[in-house]
Amino acid sequence: MADVKVLAVQPITESDAQIKAAIDEAHLPSLIAALVHVTGDAGLVQGEIKPVYDFFGDGQGGLTPEQIASTKARALAALKTYRDAGSKLPQQPSRDTVRKMMNFVAGADIPERYVPFLEEELALDGVDPKAVHGLDEIPQSRKKDFRVLVIGAGMSGLLAAIRLKQAGIAYTVVDKNKDVGGTWMVNTYPGCRVDNPNHLYSYSFEPNHDWPYHFSTQPLLWEYFRKVADKYGLRQNIRFQTEVIESEYDELHALWKTRVHTADGKEETLVSNAVITAVGQLSRPRLPDIKGIETFKGKTFHSATWDHSIDLKGKRVASIGTGASAFQFVPEIAPEVKQLYVFQRTAPWLGPTPNYHDTVGDGIKWLLKHVPFYAKWYRFWLFWMLTDGIYEFVKADPKWDKRKDSVGEQNDMLRQMLTDYTVGQLEGRPELQAAATPDYPPGGKRSVRDNGVWLGALKRPNVETVTDPIVEITPTGLKTKSGRAIDVDVIIYGTGFTASQFLEPMKFKGKGGVDLHQQWDGDARAYLGVTVPNFPNLFMMYGPNTNIVVNGSIIFFSECEVRYIQGLLELLLKSGGGAIEVKKSVHDAFNVKVDASNAQMAWGSPNVTSWYKNKKGRVSQNWPWPLVDYWTATRAPNPAEFEVRAPAGAKVAAQ
Ligand code: NAP
């Protein structure tokens, strides 16, 4: 497989004025790091200017106005010189200098154990660092009869397909939908957009310097994934409108036999050596368990199956739920409807994000495309800022007993800061101030990015926030605990997904006919979210305990998972074995550690109920540690943790 080069920069040919205008939009710590590459002057990151980690600041690392002015002047001079010399770069910085540049841009003293992880994320050599080369070194004769079935053509499934194709492994993808994109195809509710900055929320090897927004809308995300599917030529291997019913492991031949409903309404069995599930955690809408829900005579729909044929204009609408989906659609529909009742059981924590709906300026796009390494450092900054930089703020102090709505000193600082932010937007509305202030620790649930539109909507005269619990749905509306009857024309359920019912409604039968859902008994577990004992050659992406609350993007996890799965396939194919299975002792010991660590995070607090906890109360969704630990654990599988068997059952050693 050829190394995949990431986007190269274009030479600078623009005028001084154009360069200056672009610099005015720059993220300056990233620009200064880029200037080290452009000028060869390592002193730029060792002088007086020292950005700080400013999660809630203006994003410029706390630089003073004088420092901002001098940096811009210096950048202009450097880029002019670079342009006039034909856009040629001097000798590139040493590893030691790059290490200093990391601290500089992050505004933090990055611990040594993070360095290889962040070096890979930076990928300064322009090579796709997560592309695995072990599989393509295996002779084609060994690979030719090996086939993988990927379930799901969303972000993770496409990624699996890209990597399998690059490795020369035959694969088929099935998806119940009509097109690729998964959640980004299905969720079309008004206001749907990503809540991770797009310059981070994109495949590491497929950056897009033309994102129109910092946080792009659903159609743009869907377009990105469609384009990726086209660019990598994946479509001919994808079978759309093909839904998996059941997959059964044939132990004798080490094969998975997967029964699917096909687009033409028939059933078919697909045979493969391995199965990768990439169905997401948030794909099956959940309706609330409210008495009388089926009796309502008006219109209803769930946020994930938005009924665009229903005109909400002039209607009385009830919206149930105030999670990330409702948070986005409520401000969109509020101006349209006659009256909106927002039924809130738990208030969301709002994370101040002034640029949440902003377009990306032309200057930024220019910098990303023209200034060598600017895009790299900008992504690096976002990565650090939004990943392990914030982790300590959501960690629980076991001795903390001051309040129930925080879990430690740092978490309490965050609580106070976010409370001030919310309350400050609701001057003169004490009832809303009380309703909108969460009573659980920040980080307990995913906070929502806010630029003021949410509380702006709740303040509208035609919007009422109802905190009185719903006890019943009637043919004409809703009844609350206090006995109030609210009649409406439409009920919208922003009530989330059956997230902890992993892989349902599909059925998987493993070794000895063991049923996966019976084995899990409502408490899904896996080793590193990927493998489960008794289910050889079944690999999950976005499986149990691989979700993140505050730190990072799911794309990062998927890239780690698929590399790990490739490593497992490599072990299998190199050994000549037919089946690879995680040892139960390894799986069990890992899960004990996961549970102990999740209990020490805000989302593990007993004062939080969320979709991260399953019906047994266990946090089955979230990864409890910093991202660096997932990266380290999944770089390559440890052969000692797996059993590799020949199809007929005779053991062969993993190599
Ligand atoms: P969610 O976070 O699970 O929110 C469901 C909401 O419905 C909660 O407010 C919940 O209240 C409420 N609810 C459930 N049953 C109820 C009942 N019987 N009565 C009253 N309220 C009830 O679902 P979501 O908003 O669809 O978001 C799910 C996840 O999807 C997010 O956490 C995020 O990871 C992802 N997401 C991301 C984006 C983005 O990137 N921009 C957008 C949307 C979703 P409680 O909190 O009290 O349970």
Side-chain angles (χ1 to χ4, degrees), residues 253-558:
H253 303 100
L255 291 172
W256 280 95
K257 295 180 175 166
T258 304
R259 205 151 54 84
V260 296
H261 262 305
T262 61
D264 53 9
K266 297 196 176 122
E267 275 193 12
E268 195 180 323
T269 299
L270 308 175
V271 179
S272 61
N273 301 78
V275 172
I276 298 176
T277 65
V279 295
Q281 291 188 4
L282 301 160
S283 57
R284 300 280 169 175
R286 192 185 79 86
L287 289 179
D289 187 14
I290 300 175
K291 187 180 148 198
I293 187 168
E294 71 294 343
T295 65
F296 183 62
K297 295 268 186 270
K299 306 278 189 194
T300 67
F301 53 86
H302 186 276
S303 60
T305 50
W306 195 273
D307 188 342
H308 293 277
S309 72
I310 298 174
D311 185 4
L312 297 177
K313 212 169 177 182
K315 301 263 178 15
R316 297 165 303 165
V317 177
S319 170
I320 305 181
T322 49
S325 301
F327 182 82
Q328 293 182 328
F329 69 71
V330 160
E332 297 291 319
I333 65 171
E336 288 268 301
V337 302
K338 180 175 174 200
Q339 177 68 32
L340 180 62
Y341 299 96
V342 176
F343 285 87
Q344 175 188 279
R345 194 162 66 179
T346 314
W349 281 108
L350 313 184
T353 310
N355 70 346
Y356 188 33
H357 291 172
D358 291 358
T359 52
V360 178
D362 288 342
I364 295 176
K365 289 182 192 161
W366 184 88
L367 292 162
L368 292 167
K369 289 179 194 168
H370 292 86
V371 176
F373 301 98
Y374 177 79
K376 292 281 184 188
W377 285 105
Y378 183 56
R379 184 178 160 105
F380 171 85
W381 173 70
L382 289 172
F383 187 81
W384 179 260
M385 177 66 60
L386 298 170
T387 57
D388 290 357
I390 189 77
Y391 179 77
E392 293 298 324
F393 286 86
V394 292
K395 230 171 147 178
D397 172 358
K399 293 195 219 82
W400 182 259
D401 59 2
K402 287 194 183 143
R403 316 174 52 103
K404 284 200 160 40
D405 54 2
S406 57
V407 291
E409 190 91 39
Q410 273 182 285
N411 187 251
D412 199 53
M413 271 167 50
L414 185 61
R415 179 196 62 75
Q416 191 57 61
M417 204 185 300
L418 297 180
T419 301
D420 292 347
Y421 172 72
T422 291
V423 168
Q425 289 186 61
L426 295 167
E427 293 288 332
R429 299 290 299 269
E431 80 298 344
L432 260 184
Q433 283 177 330
T437 306
D439 59 0
Y440 59 92
K445 301 175 191 245
R446 192 172 175 91
S447 62
V448 280
R449 290 195 173 273
D450 182 65
N451 58 354
V453 302
W454 168 249
L455 296 176
L458 298 193
K459 281 193 280 187
R460 289 178 63 92
N462 68 332
V463 177
E464 179 183 345
T465 306
V466 185
T467 54
D468 193 7
I470 307 164
V471 288
E472 190 179 349
I473 294 181
T474 66
T476 55
L478 304 99
K479 264 196 191 151
T480 66
K481 198 174 170 192
S482 69
R484 185 175 168 201
I486 298 175
D487 283 352
V488 293
D489 306 305
V490 182
I491 300 178
I492 306 173
Y493 295 104
T495 45
F497 301 85
T498 55
S500 58
Q501 290 162 242
F502 285 89
L503 305 190
E504 290 187 23
M506 297 183 291
K507 286 193 165 55
F508 289 88
K509 282 194 183 150
K511 264 175 22 189
V514 176
D515 179 280
L516 180 63
H517 296 301
Q518 276 178 12
Q519 176 168 310
W520 276 342
D521 190 21
D523 187 7
R525 292 157 189 264
Y527 179 53
L528 296 171
V530 175
T531 57
V532 185
N534 287 329
F535 294 83
N537 301 6
L538 175 67
F539 310 117
M540 285 178 282
M541 297 184 72
Y542 204 11
N545 295 107
T546 56
N547 182 59
I548 38 184
V549 186
V550 291
N551 52 333
S553 112
I554 295 300
I555 296 187
F556 169 83
F557 267 74
S558 293

Side-chain angles (χ1 to χ4, degrees), residues 632-646:
T632 306
T634 55
R635 279 183 93 178
N638 175 357
E641 295 178 337
F642 291 86
E643 282 187 14
V644 182
R645 293 189 205 88

